[in-house]
Amino acid sequence: MALIGSLLVLATAGSALFAAPSQAAGGSAFSPQSFWNAPLGSSARTDPNSGAMVNGLVAEVNSELVRHYGPGINTREYSAPLYIVGPSQPNLRVTLDGNGGYLQKAIEAVPIPAGAKPAAGTDKHMIIWQPATDTMWEFWRMEMRLDGWHAGAAGAMHGVSTNPGYYTPDSWAGAQPWWGATATGLPFLGGLMTVAELQRGRIAHALAMAIPHARAGVWAWPATRGDGDTRDPNSIPEGARLRLDPTLNLKKLSLPPMTRMMAEAAQRYGIVIRDRAGVVAFYGQDPLSTGGNPYPKIFGNQFPDQLLAKFPWRSLQVLKLDLRGSG
């Protein structure tokens, strides 16, 4: 089972819950057969245009490194706090601004703990996970107003532990592909590096990554939508799945521990382009939901761009694209 199977819920009703390292010993969410969790086999095919797409990504990374602007690992802003709540956590209503219907019904009663806060930055993401009911809620532009919680976009999912890793009609009554808090419709929880697994030293799932410019008009499965902004045919579409060359011997590379963890996950499980961002960026659990800031220790007192300067970017491969959209 995924993360849910090894959680020890410590919350009491009405109190905020901060996840201890032992609580996430199982790894990521979703079905073990999900594209997030299933190891990439030897039969995974590379896209014919992989080389050109990777060259474009490497050029972007190098440009960011020269400018000391990126690449990054979002943690204390533009990521998401993950609040794991107990079965008796009181429910609160969230108002979906500018929308309604079944999605509003799905967020009428959300077990938001006292003291919960969305991530810093304009996106204001937040994730609520209730293992006892196997349910997850996620929000974009989440904020507390005088009349309660409001969100600009949201998603809700029953059966998280068996879900394929994206919103389907079975996720909730009336669920639609446009549900969710990310540009691709893929759950923010997918690909999120949790504090617990980073402290444990192993990431047992694919990584989520954002890029500054994704291909416009199309997206690749498993994304259900996209917000690409460039017509460059060699740009990477959102939803694309990448991997490090399986023949690359990571043991021969001198990598910082954090970089090695990410490289091992990228080689075994892959990377999913889940969003656009100002720089090339991965996602670590926002420490708002952990009661401290463990990242200086996890990062070995290095900055994310220092860690990612050692990442073997040139050894990435884009897997065969299953494009959707209008082109």
Side-chain angles (χ1 to χ4, degrees):
M1 201 170 181
L3 177 55
I4 292 172
S6 56
L7 286 170
L8 173 62
V9 178
L10 303 177
T12 57
S15 65
L17 174 69
F18 300 119
S22 62
Q23 289 178 276
S28 182
F30 312 118
S31 163
Q33 288 76 44
S34 165
F35 64 91
W36 292 113
N37 297 330
L40 292 166
S42 58
S43 61
R45 294 184 297 162
T46 301
D47 194 84
N49 202 33
S50 174
M53 287 186 282
V54 170
N55 285 342
L57 176 61
V58 170
E60 172 64 31
V61 168
N62 288 341
S63 174
E64 293 176 9
L65 288 170
V66 168
R67 291 178 291 149
H68 301 286
Y69 188 62
I73 303 172
N74 292 347
T75 56
R76 301 188 71 184
E77 61 178 1
Y78 292 104
S79 186
L82 169 60
Y83 294 100
I84 303 171
V85 299
S88 57
Q89 179 67 48
N91 292 320
L92 298 174
R93 184 179 191 270
V94 179
T95 299
L96 187 64
D97 294 330
N99 255 306
Y102 286 106
L103 182 52
Q104 179 59 64
K105 292 179 181 179
I107 60 174
E108 283 289 321
V110 183
I112 303 173
K117 296 179 180 179
T122 56
D123 288 342
K124 299 181 181 179
H125 283 108
M126 180 190 288
I127 306 169
I128 306 294
W129 192 351
Q130 190 171 54
T133 59
D134 202 7
T135 306
M136 179 272 293
W137 296 261
E138 62 174 5
F139 302 96
W140 176 71
R141 293 193 173 174
M142 180 77 152
E143 62 180 5
M144 173 62 78
R145 300 179 189 169
L146 292 178
D147 63 343
W149 286 103
H150 284 250
M157 181 180 292
H158 290 308
V160 179
S161 63
T162 57
N163 184 275
Y166 51 89
Y167 290 97
T168 74
D170 294 329
S171 297
W172 204 283
Q176 298 293 326
W178 55 264
W179 283 25
T182 71
T184 55
L186 296 174
F188 205 108
L189 188 55
L192 182 69
M193 297 181 288
T194 67
V195 168
E197 62 194 354
L198 294 179
Q199 290 175 330
R200 187 173 68 247
R202 182 171 178 266
I203 304 167
H205 57 80
L207 306 178
M209 190 172 79
I211 56 177
H213 302 290
R215 195 181 307 177
V218 296
W219 53 90
W221 183 91
T224 58
R225 60 176 187 260
D227 65 347
D229 64 342
T230 176
R231 293 292 176 179
D232 182 351
N234 293 325
S235 59
I236 303 175
E238 288 169 307
R241 302 175 68 192
L242 289 71
R243 77 181 305 174
L244 278 177
D245 186 340
T247 66
L248 179 65
N249 190 342
L250 295 176
K251 294 180 180 178
K252 290 187 176 181
L253 303 182
S254 180
L255 302 178
M258 178 66 191
T259 312
R260 180 174 295 279
M261 268 193 284
M262 296 176 67
E264 289 173 346
Q267 189 175 57
R268 181 169 174 79
Y269 301 97
I271 298 171
V272 180
I273 306 299
R274 196 188 60 200
D275 273 294
R276 285 199 301 119
V279 299
V280 174
F282 294 93
Y283 296 86
Q285 178 186 356
D286 190 311
L288 280 171
S289 54
T290 68
N293 180 18
Y295 285 105
K297 183 176 181 181
I298 291 172
F299 291 171
N301 293 313
Q302 296 189 66
F303 292 109
D305 62 337
Q306 294 175 303
L307 295 170
L308 293 177
K310 301 288 184 66
F311 189 87
W313 296 98
R314 292 189 179 278
S315 295
L316 284 171
Q317 302 169 338
V318 178
L319 300 185
K320 179 68 176 176
L321 296 174
D322 181 1
L323 292 176
R324 315 289 172 91
S326 58

